Every structure is written in structure tokens, then in C-alpha cells.
């Protein structure tokens, strides 16, 4: 009986790790941006919304990676190609940056 309880507890603990902390995801609308900067995305998109980054110029393979690092919620899937990114938008917070900078 104790073994069954331990297995059940472990199973519940593993499944609770799948919780995305109650982030409401907007699957009904798509926000499209052409610049990677966080301010540009913040002006057009809402947190939890699907966002697609389609730059005006093609060829700089670093831009999609930079966009994903700055604008995507990494708890969810990120679709990344040489020409663009699609992900769930999560804005950077200024207080998080200040806290990180203060620890250096």
C-alpha cells in the first residue's frame, strides 16, 4: 500500500511539472512583427499571444535566434527557421534585468 502511494505521489509530482503557471494563451489571434527589438514587439503584442517574426530582410540567421531569446516564452514550443520565428510572446521585465545586473 505504501509503495502504491509513493508511485502515485511521484506521478502527480511529475505531472505538476507540466503546469505552465497558469499563463493564458491566446490561440485566436496572431501578432506579426518585423523587428526583433523587445519594444517593437511590446507595442504590438500581448503576453500569451501567438507572435510571428517575419523580418523585412532575409539572410541574417542570427535575427530569428535573437528574437526568440528576447521575446519568446521558452516554456512553450518555438518554431524557428532561418527566415522567421513563431512562438508564444512573453515580454522581458525591466525589474528582472535590474536584479540580474545587480548580482554581477
Amino acid at each position: 500500500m505504501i509503495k502504491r502511494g509513493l508511485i502515485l505521489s511521484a506521478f502527480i509530482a511529475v505531472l505538476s511539472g507540466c503546469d505552465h503557471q497558469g499563463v493564458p494563451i491566446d490561440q485566436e489571434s496572431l501578432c506579426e512583427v518585423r523587428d526583433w527589438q523587445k519594444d517593437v514587439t511590446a507595442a504590438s503584442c500581448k503576453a500569451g499571444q501567438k507572435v510571428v517574426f517575419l523580418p523585412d530582410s532575409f539572410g541574417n540567421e542570427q535575427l530569428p535566434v535573437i528574437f526568440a531569446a528576447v521575446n519568446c516564452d521558452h516554456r512553450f514550443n518555438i518554431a524557428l527557421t532561418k527566415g522567421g520565428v513563431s512562438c508564444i510572446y512573453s515580454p522581458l521585465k525591466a525589474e528582472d534585468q535590474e536584479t540580474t545586473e545587480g548580482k554581477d
Side-chain angles (χ1 to χ4, degrees), residues 25-104:
I25 303 301
D26 180 3
Q27 294 289 334
E28 300 299 319
S29 60
L30 179 66
C31 178
E32 183 179 323
V33 295
R34 301 218 174 262
D35 293 311
W36 67 267
Q37 292 90 349
K38 66 182 179 100
D39 297 335
V40 172
T41 309
S44 302
C45 305
K46 298 176 188 166
Q49 186 176 27
K50 291 186 291 186
V51 61
V52 63
F53 169 61
L54 301 170
D56 288 326
S57 62
F58 183 80
N60 184 343
E61 295 182 25
Q62 293 177 343
L63 285 182
V65 174
I66 293 169
F67 178 88
V70 173
N71 294 294
C72 293
D73 190 332
H74 287 256
R75 295 174 295 171
F76 300 97
N77 290 333
I78 299 171
L80 180 97
T81 68
K82 294 178 183 180
V85 178
S86 178
C87 65
I88 301 299
Y89 175 59
S90 177
L92 289 177
K93 296 181 179 127
E95 55 271 9
D96 291 344
Q97 292 173 347
E98 291 170 6
T99 303
T100 304
E101 290 172 2
K103 292 181 181 179
D104 291 338

